[in-house]
Amino acid sequence: MYSADKTKKFAMAYIVDRCVDCKACMVACKAEWQIPDNDFRTHIDTGIAPAATERLSMHFLPHQCNHCDDAPCVTVCPTKASHKRADGVVDIDNRKCVGCRYCIPSCPYNARFFNNQLGVADKCTFCLPRIYDGLMPACVTTCPGRARVFGDINDPESEISKALKDAADNRYRVWTLRKDLGTEPNIYYIQK
Amino acid sequence: MTKCRISRRRFIQGTASVGAALASMSSFRLLTGSSPASAEPQQGVTYAQNWCEMCFWKCGLTAKVVDGKVKKLEGQPDCPSNYGKLCAKGNAGVFQLYDPDRLKTPLIRDGERGSGKFRKATWEEALTYVAQKTNELKEKYGPETFSIFAHGSGEHSFVELVEIIGSPNYCIPSYAQCTGSRDIGWALSYGKAVGGKEPVDSQNSKCIMLLGRNIVEALHVGEMQDFVEGVAKGAHVIYVDPRFTKTAAKANQYMMIKPGTDSALLLGMINYIIEKEIYNKNFVDGYTHGFDLFKEHVAEYTVEWASQITEIPQTEIIKAAEKLCEAAPHCYIHPGRRLTRYGNDTQFTRIVACLNMLMGNWEVRGGIYRTVGFKYDAPHMVHFDKPYADRADGAGSEEFPLGPKNLGFANKLMEHIANQDVYPLKGMFVYGCNPLHHHGSTEMVKKALENTELLVTCEIYMTDTAWLSDVILPESTYLERYDPVISTGRRKGYIQFREPAVNPVFDTKGGWEIAAQLSAAMGHENEFLDVREYNRLAFEALGITEEYMKKHGVWVANESTPYPVEDGEEEPSFRTPSGKAEFYSNLCEHFSYPPMPSYEENPVPAEDEFRFLFGRLSFHTHARTQNNAWLLALHKSEVPLWIHTDRAKALGIKDGMQVRLVKEGFKSNPCTARVVDYIHPQAVFLPYGFGHETKGLTRITGKGARTSDFTSNLTDPISGAAGFHNGFVKLEIA
């Protein structure tokens, strides 16, 4: 029903200046996917500059599955339940997942958790099938600060392509998490 | 399939906001049922329009219903309250709807008050019981013996019921406990109250100064969206708070102020701006009253003086003043919200207003915009004669001539119920309120409840107040009921519509239905309209249809400019006695209040005490959402208590330790110490809304501290509103 469109490559960017750590994304995702009460597929961390710095500063770091091009969770999965789709989404096939949990510690981004209700590994899917229904992922739709931008980076007209181009043109800081690990993440951070 | 009705103009507006266009377009398709060609319409899926009731900002939302169950809530893209967005609380509305902790049937107390023993009752039984008791009390003490504390979209259902009974003692606590002092202070200065949707034009502002407004955590979606837009466009943000909050994280300049000295900071800035003559002369000369007197009056408040009082370096104070003046008139100093600080808050708000006046930011972009409303012949929900007795709380009396009789002083009324010192106040109705959490003194509220012969609570949860009630009438949540349409003004005027997404999950009714049935049971000629009939009349008056509202949820009126002064359509005008913005308040003089605001020293805590500060988290509202499992999970059910590192060290408190607040021998439940450098050492901070006693909130009862156990209970001499932040506490390790 939602087979991967090979022409697309989905990615997300957080414009971190716009994040206020309100946690709307976390709850919207929970509602959309009926995640067990104490688990979340996306998180926001708060970081505070050490007190010794002259000027106090606090930053917010949203994070979730990075949908890596070279995903360790896919490599370690013994049943191929975790797989990389042609549209870039790292998905879990619940029918194939045997709950061995290898994937959970293999993820350098701590993006996976064990869903006790379903007995399977769980994580962000970029809101398949919402995105094939022409919607944005739940976290993007709800984000009051409009910090989250999602779309097909193969399409230069998509919001995310525009956001990344805008960031490049204006020389904003753009980075991915733990680039050194070579997992090739598809979540970008943009900061002015 | 419905045709997509996006006008060209709206489409352009949509694309103008970064990252929003696609989301809104897609959601629009979803909401209107006009799905993209690739997807089949889903079977068993319907949508219902509503506005959120998780807080009081009233974000427009659409409920997605799958096979008769609400699955998901999403913002209405066109609603000017929130433009398609919902916060964490809004998203958690689904959990509330199906929460097994909800009140499920009417309950009548069947044991000692506070024993928690209730018997289940049918609606007929409960309504008859309340009606009989009400009529008995009315016979015995007169109709004015009744009071009502009400907040939320259904508040007027019970307010009008109490008016029908014949009592003037109705209170909307948001006046006394939240915005009252601010609105009166603003009215004295500009001739008009600020209003619940503060008209600060953050999205176009070049400089924003916030004090008394933690805009990011005391989160109202629309206001916060505007703020983030302003920040993204490069507004210079000045934030003042004894605590480094998430709003401070977005600020260019953060000033840690000594708690209780905000007015000194502003007076120092005012003095500097006037001395240096960097104020907006055009505005001050042309459109203000009493500037020369004011200049003389503030001459003593030098920056040096302000720095000593506030503990903020002079350079910082000067920098803030200069940044504002550089940006003027496209800047604002936020009027503040819940300015219930130290019991002299109307005069503090006057200082805020005067500093704004120096900027000349009236009805211009980036300053204070004009709320755009619209007129229509709104139908009357109910007809009755106005009551004649005097209010017990003194609102509108000689003592408090500026106190609005239609809002009342919840704090004063509760005191008079506790003391029974004006006339017998024996019957209390509570709608959507939880006085045990919302007042300055829990002890006083408990005494009031003890003195009440009939306490009726209309609620969706077993709150602390419901727990002590005689009768509990369970209300349907916003997702299960109709409510009369509401009209709101921001930069546009608009109408919002609420319809049930699902039938009531439990044996509950909407507030209007309950009030109407109670009124009938009491033997009053029942003149309440049915909500749907009211809405039909409203739509007729507006020239729209229910079908339109069922599809869109919101109707936006014709636009006029929110910036009439900047757009050259009007000269600045003010509904004050002088017709100008008043540095020197004629009304204050008339009522024998100081016509110009001065610095007043607030009480300070002893060496071993802390000033007790409280406020919101971005994911909880007042004391009403703490039991929501989805929201609790966001903070792992922990209730943080902020304390400065040095003070913690002296007490042997380490980060993460369990600590109790202590005041006059009374101890709170344990809270989790958050030991940080970025709170003023003289204060501790606790998020509002925890420490519930009731056994009916299974997830949160007994966790954390109840703020009203530790706050001060003062009354502002001008507005009559409450002052909370002169409560002083000690800490001990749990």
Side-chain angles (χ1 to χ4, degrees):
Chain A
M1 191 175 169
Y2 299 103
S3 57
D5 181 342
K6 286 180 203 161
T7 65
K8 294 185 193 300
K9 184 174 185 192
F10 293 112
M12 191 180 286
Y14 310 122
I15 302 169
V16 291
D17 310 272
R18 302 182 72 103
C19 177
V20 294
D21 191 17
C22 72
K23 319 262 191 210
C25 50
M26 293 174 68
V27 184
C29 169
K30 183 187 277 295
E32 182 74 39
W33 295 102
Q34 287 114 54
I35 305 295
D37 282 355
N38 291 317
D39 297 316
F40 293 95
R41 283 183 174 183
T42 185
H43 298 263
I44 311 176
D45 293 342
T46 300
I48 293 148
T53 58
E54 205 169 273
R55 184 171 171 262
L56 275 170
S57 79
M58 187 188 281
H59 62 266
F60 309 123
L61 191 82
H63 57 99
Q64 64 199 58
C65 172
N66 279 256
H67 297 278
C68 308
D69 286 349
D70 189 1
C73 57
V74 171
T75 313
V76 301
C77 180
T79 65
K80 295 193 167 60
S82 285
H83 58 284
K84 178 85 173 169
R85 291 162 48 107
D87 54 13
V89 176
V90 172
D91 196 13
I92 304 170
D93 185 340
N94 282 356
R95 293 163 303 181
K96 289 186 187 165
C97 179
V98 291
C100 74
R101 310 183 195 214
Y102 287 170
C103 58
I104 294 173
S106 84
C107 172
Y109 306 105
N110 201 17
R112 291 182 167 235
F113 61 94
F114 193 73
N115 185 324
N116 275 314
Q117 273 173 18
L118 302 176
V120 296
D122 202 336
K123 66 161 198 79
C124 156
T125 64
F126 273 163
C127 269
L128 291 168
R130 269 179 79 103
I131 52 174
Y132 278 93
D133 279 346
L135 300 172
M136 282 286 152
C139 59
V140 176
T141 300
T142 210
C143 179
R146 302 192 199 282
R148 289 168 175 253
V149 181
F150 174 83
D152 172 15
I153 43 172
N154 287 343
D155 172 9
E157 291 304 308
S158 71
E159 288 298 317
I160 185 150
S161 296
K162 285 182 186 167
L164 289 170
K165 182 171 183 303
D166 182 56
D169 289 350
N170 290 293
R171 302 195 174 200
Y172 299 150
R173 232 182 114 212
V174 180
W175 73 97
T176 55
L177 293 182
R178 296 303 307 269
K179 201 173 169 56
D180 56 312
L181 298 175
T183 62
E184 302 294 328
N186 285 294
I187 299 260
Y188 297 90
Y189 291 77
I190 300 175
Q191 188 172 27
K192 282 186 184 175
Chain B
M1 213 176 271
T2 330
K3 209 175 158 194
C4 187
R5 284 205 195 184
I6 288 184
S7 69
R8 176 74 188 149
R9 181 172 168 75
R10 182 148 302 141
F11 180 69
I12 291 166
Q13 284 169 344
T15 49
S17 44
V18 181
L22 221 93
S24 3
M25 284 297 290
S26 315
S27 309
F28 190 87
R29 274 192 223 107
L30 167 78
L31 304 182
T32 53
S34 162
S35 40
S38 62
E40 293 291 314
Q42 284 177 274
Q43 282 228 310
V45 179
T46 57
Y47 298 95
Q49 307 297 344
N50 213 303
W51 67 82
C52 187
E53 198 74 31
M54 295 297 279
C55 86
F56 303 98
W57 185 261
K58 302 186 176 83
C59 293
L61 65 83
T62 302
K64 181 183 182 186
V65 184
V66 181
D67 297 330
K69 278 201 98 177
V70 175
K71 285 288 179 200
K72 187 81 195 314
L73 308 174
E74 302 213 357
Q76 292 161 352
D78 295 335
C79 180
S81 291
N82 58 314
Y83 288 108
K85 306 298 179 181
L86 292 179
C87 69
K89 298 163 280 188
N91 275 292
V94 182
F95 182 86
Q96 176 180 279
L97 174 63
Y98 297 110
D99 188 349
D101 273 3
R102 274 183 59 189
L103 295 165
K104 301 178 187 74
T105 66
L107 297 170
I108 297 174
R109 184 160 62 84
D110 198 19
E112 287 294 297
R113 188 169 274 175
S115 65
K117 286 189 183 142
F118 292 93
R119 62 181 165 89
K120 287 182 182 174
T122 63
W123 274 100
E124 198 190 342
E125 203 182 345
L127 295 172
T128 309
Y129 184 92
V130 174
Q132 272 174 5
K133 290 274 178 189
T134 304
N135 287 344
E136 278 169 33
L137 287 183
K138 186 175 172 181
E139 187 72 21
K140 201 165 156 191
Y141 300 112
E144 65 276 12
T145 200
F146 295 97
S147 59
I148 167 76
F149 299 83
H151 197 27
S153 293
E155 65 193 26
H156 279 280
S157 60
F158 273 76
V159 166
E160 296 193 357
L161 176 71
V162 167
E163 283 191 291
I164 287 170
I165 295 170
S167 176
N169 294 314
Y170 43 96
C171 281
I172 308 295
S174 58
Y175 172 84
Q177 325 294 65
C178 187
T179 56
S181 291
R182 178 201 69 185
D183 280 346
I184 296 296
W186 210 254
L188 288 167
S189 311
Y190 290 103
K192 124 173 153 185
V194 180
K197 286 197 157 58
E198 293 82 350
V200 289
D201 199 31
S202 306
Q203 62 186 16
N204 296 309
S205 198
K206 291 183 180 158
C207 185
I208 295 170
M209 180 168 181
L210 303 163
L211 76 174
R213 187 66 185 139
N214 178 5
I215 218 163
V216 160
E217 288 181 278
L219 188 160
H220 290 141
V221 171
E223 189 189 23
M224 190 268 262
Q225 279 178 302
D226 287 354
F227 175 71
V228 173
E229 288 302 325
V231 168
K233 285 187 199 166
H236 183 86
V237 178
I238 304 162
Y239 184 69
V240 184
D241 196 317
R243 185 174 67 104
F244 191 92
T245 65
K246 288 176 188 173
T247 306
K250 297 290 158 189
N252 303 72
Q253 187 186 353
Y254 164 67
M255 293 188 262
M256 183 184 283
I257 192 165
K258 184 179 173 185
T261 66
D262 308 56
S263 55
L265 170 67
L266 296 187
L267 287 166
M269 287 169 66
I270 287 170
N271 172 293
Y272 180 84
I273 289 166
I274 294 177
E275 287 295 314
K276 294 280 169 195
E277 295 191 28
I278 50 175
Y279 54 88
N280 184 333
K281 288 197 180 115
N282 180 40
F283 184 83
V284 169
D285 294 347
Y287 307 103
T288 66
H289 170 78
F291 179 68
D292 291 338
L293 286 168
F294 185 66
K295 182 179 173 180
E296 213 173 288
H297 177 73
V298 299
E300 62 177 305
Y301 301 124
T302 62
V303 171
E304 192 185 2
W305 166 86
S307 174
Q308 272 171 10
I309 305 236
T310 59
E311 298 178 359
I312 297 170
Q314 289 185 47
T315 49
E316 291 287 304
I317 300 175
I318 290 170
K319 191 170 129 195
E322 286 180 344
K323 282 284 179 188
L324 278 168
C325 291
E326 280 164 25
H330 308 291
C331 67
Y332 71 82
I333 301 92
H334 199 288
R337 200 182 174 87
R338 196 178 71 73
L339 281 184
T340 55
R341 303 293 198 256
Y342 311 110
N344 49 13
D345 308 294
T346 306
Q347 289 291 9
F348 171 62
T349 311
R350 286 266 299 126
I351 301 174
V352 179
C354 290
L355 182 52
N356 273 297
M357 275 175 215
L358 292 172
M359 302 299 125
N361 56 5
W362 192 251
E363 297 180 347
V364 296
R365 280 176 187 77
I368 313 290
Y369 69 80
R370 180 190 290 182
T371 304
V372 177
F374 60 95
K375 285 193 177 134
Y376 77 106
D377 198 6
H380 287 282
M381 192 69 187
V382 60
H383 290 270
F384 52 84
D385 293 327
K386 284 274 175 191
Y388 294 103
D390 286 335
R391 294 188 60 102
D393 59 12
S397 69
E398 249 173 57
E399 194 188 355
F400 293 104
L402 297 170
K405 287 184 176 181
N406 63 337
L407 298 170
F409 304 155
N411 51 330
K412 296 290 283 179
L413 185 59
M414 193 61 81
E415 259 178 58
H416 292 310
I417 297 170
N419 299 329
Q420 297 286 320
D421 52 356
V422 181
Y423 47 69
L425 288 157
K426 297 292 187 185
M428 190 195 297
F429 291 89
V430 175
Y431 173 92
C433 278
N434 194 352
L436 278 160
H437 285 253
H438 298 163
H439 284 252
S441 160
T442 317
E443 217 171 295
M444 186 263 292
V445 176
K446 278 188 174 160
K447 195 174 156 203
L449 300 186
E450 275 164 22
N451 283 339
T452 299
E453 290 179 26
L454 176 69
L455 172 56
V456 181
T457 301
C458 182
E459 252 296 346
I460 61 171
Y461 278 116
M462 181 66 90
T463 61
D464 279 356
T465 307
W467 187 252
L468 298 178
S469 301
D470 299 299
V471 184
I472 305 172
L473 304 172
E475 199 188 21
S476 300
T477 67
Y478 60 105
L479 294 168
E480 303 164 294
R481 66 180 203 240
Y482 284 98
D483 261 319
V485 293
I486 50 169
S487 65
T488 305
R490 292 190 76 209
R491 291 183 196 82
K492 296 171 183 172
Y494 52 105
I495 291 278
Q496 290 176 266
F497 173 66
R498 169 177 286 165
E499 62 183 342
V502 287
N503 292 325
V505 176
F506 305 111
D507 186 13
T508 59
K509 295 174 191 285
W512 285 101
E513 198 182 351
I514 299 171
Q517 290 179 2
L518 270 175
S519 169
M522 288 169 191
H524 301 286
E525 244 178 73
N526 193 352
E527 292 172 350
F528 278 88
L529 287 183
D530 175 76
V531 177
R532 294 196 75 179
E533 175 65 5
Y534 174 93
N535 284 346
R536 196 187 60 74
L537 294 171
F539 296 146
E540 218 167 75
L542 287 157
I544 54 177
T545 61
E546 187 177 20
E547 287 65 46
Y548 180 91
M549 296 307 280
K550 282 175 90 72
K551 192 185 289 179
H552 298 272
V554 63
W555 176 81
V556 182
N558 285 333
E559 294 165 41
S560 62
T561 177
Y563 318 107
V565 170
E566 186 174 10
D567 291 350
E569 291 184 8
E570 283 175 42
E571 291 281 298
S573 65
F574 306 92
R575 273 180 282 166
T576 56
S578 64
K580 294 182 169 184
E582 295 192 351
F583 287 109
Y584 185 97
S585 166
N586 284 310
L587 272 179
C588 278
E589 187 181 43
H590 175 77
F591 290 116
S592 306
Y593 304 129
M596 291 182 290
S598 304
Y599 177 67
E600 289 175 53
E601 201 176 338
N602 293 309
V604 284
E607 284 289 300
D608 60 342
E609 289 179 332
F610 297 85
R611 184 184 292 276
F612 179 65
L613 303 179
F614 68 98
R616 284 225 212 152
L617 301 170
S618 64
F619 38 83
H620 281 303
T621 302
H622 299 176
R624 59 163 43 199
T625 57
Q626 282 70 17
N627 195 49
N628 187 304
W630 293 0
L631 300 177
L632 275 176
L634 292 171
H635 55 102
K636 299 186 174 65
S637 301
E638 280 196 345
V639 184
L641 180 85
W642 292 44
I643 174 174
H644 188 271
T645 314
D646 295 344
R647 298 289 304 270
K649 204 171 175 185
L651 292 168
I653 295 169
K654 295 199 176 89
D655 191 55
M657 246 182 195
Q658 295 297 297
V659 293
R660 293 179 201 272
L661 292 154
V662 183
K663 188 186 177 189
E664 288 155 18
F666 178 81
K667 292 177 188 177
S668 75
N669 300 314
C671 303
T672 306
R674 182 177 286 174
V675 179
V676 294
D677 290 329
Y678 42 90
I679 182 169
H680 193 282
Q682 210 179 46
V684 288
F685 172 86
L686 184 81
Y688 183 26
F690 295 93
H692 297 264
E693 278 180 357
T694 163
K695 301 286 186 294
L697 302 175
T698 57
R699 301 172 201 99
I700 199 67
T701 290
K703 286 182 184 159
R706 181 162 61 188
T707 53
S708 53
D709 291 336
F710 301 97
T711 49
S712 55
N713 185 31
L714 303 167
T715 301
D716 182 279
I718 301 178
S719 68
F724 290 134
H725 284 293
N726 286 332
F728 303 131
V729 297
K730 293 180 185 178
L731 293 190
E732 65 172 42
I733 295 168

